[in-house]
């Protein structure tokens, strides 16, 4: 009988290649990274329990779950709006089963679903990140409309993504994060790389911090 070994593998193992993409000389205008080593759990408030879910989240992470399309950075986790009365809890470090710790936090007030292995997290940053993303997204990314902390459930090249803007990089350039189903990760990576190539892209892989 054949023996199977189950081990975590990057959803971008075929598409990802570290190093420079596009513009060969000069400083890269964009850093494009596959973010690894994270846990992602969908939290869905049960009927009549929205206030209790918010209270539990506040106690656990010092942040209330977003009530509109937004991403809220708490102590040890980012809470990302995914729809009315539901949100992702994104935290650093992959564990075999991230649901039990959250079940202890929320008790019977929410339904929980581990999405860690089903999503790929890609991050775009740099002085030209907004320009590249604007080529493939219908979202208005102007600072006045899409400031730090704003999120959207949208599509890029007919692929559904959860997009949000995190705190700016040290040089003041914007940082965008995109969650996509793993089965579409290769396609999205290539789409983003093509859009960013003229600005020069430095491709990396880094754990969530």
């Amino acid at each position: 009988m054949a023996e199977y070994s189950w081990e975590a593998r990057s959803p971008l193992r075929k598409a990802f290649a570290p190093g420079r993409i596009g513009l060969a000389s000069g400083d890269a205008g964009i850093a494009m990274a596959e973010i690894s080593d994270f846990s992602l759990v969908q939290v869905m408030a049960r009927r009549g329990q929205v206030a209790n879910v918010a209270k539990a989240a506040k106690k656990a992470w010092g942040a209330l779950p977003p009530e509109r399309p937004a991403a809220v950075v708490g102590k040890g986790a980012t809470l990302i709006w995914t729809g009315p009365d539901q949100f992702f809890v994104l935290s650093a470090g992959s564990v075999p089963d991230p649901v039990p710790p959250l079940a202890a936090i929320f008790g019977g007030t929410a339904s929980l679903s581990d999405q860690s292995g089903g999503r790929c997290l890609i991050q775009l940053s740099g002085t030209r990140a907004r320009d590249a993303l604007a080529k493939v997204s219908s979202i208005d990314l102007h600072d006045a409309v899409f400031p730090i902390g704003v999120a959207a459930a949208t599509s890029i090249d007919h692929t559904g993504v959860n997009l949000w803007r995190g705190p700016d990089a040290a040089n003041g350039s914007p940082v965008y994060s995109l969650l996509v189903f793993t089965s579409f990760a290769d396609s999205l990576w290539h789409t983003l790389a093509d859009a960013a190539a003229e600005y020069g892209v430095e491709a990396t892989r880094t754990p969530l911090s």
Side-chain angles (χ1 to χ4, degrees), residues 95-121:
V95 296
D97 187 358
V99 169
L102 268 67
I105 290 171
F106 292 109
T109 64
S111 298
L112 308 173
S113 175
D114 180 14
Q115 298 292 308
S116 309
R119 307 280 179 142
C120 177
L121 179 56

Side-chain angles (χ1 to χ4, degrees), residues 130 140-148 150 165 168 172-174 176:
R130 181 184 293 111
D140 186 347
L141 299 172
H142 191 278
D143 285 346
V145 179
F146 208 85
I148 294 169
V150 169
R165 182 174 171 184
D168 287 346
S173 61
Y176 301 98

Side-chain angles (χ1 to χ4, degrees), residues 186-199:
D186 277 358
S187 175
L188 181 63
W189 180 271
H190 286 304
T191 296
L192 294 173
D194 288 346
E198 69 168 298
Y199 310 118

Side-chain angles (χ1 to χ4, degrees), residues 14 98 111 159 163 172:
K14 295 181 180 179
S111 298
T159 299
L163 166 68

Side-chain angles (χ1 to χ4, degrees), residues 39-43 87-89 98-99 102 112-116:
S39 295
L40 183 72
V41 176
Q42 173 86 57
V43 179
F87 56 96
F88 283 137
V89 175
V99 169
L102 268 67
L112 308 173
S113 175
D114 180 14
Q115 298 292 308
S116 309

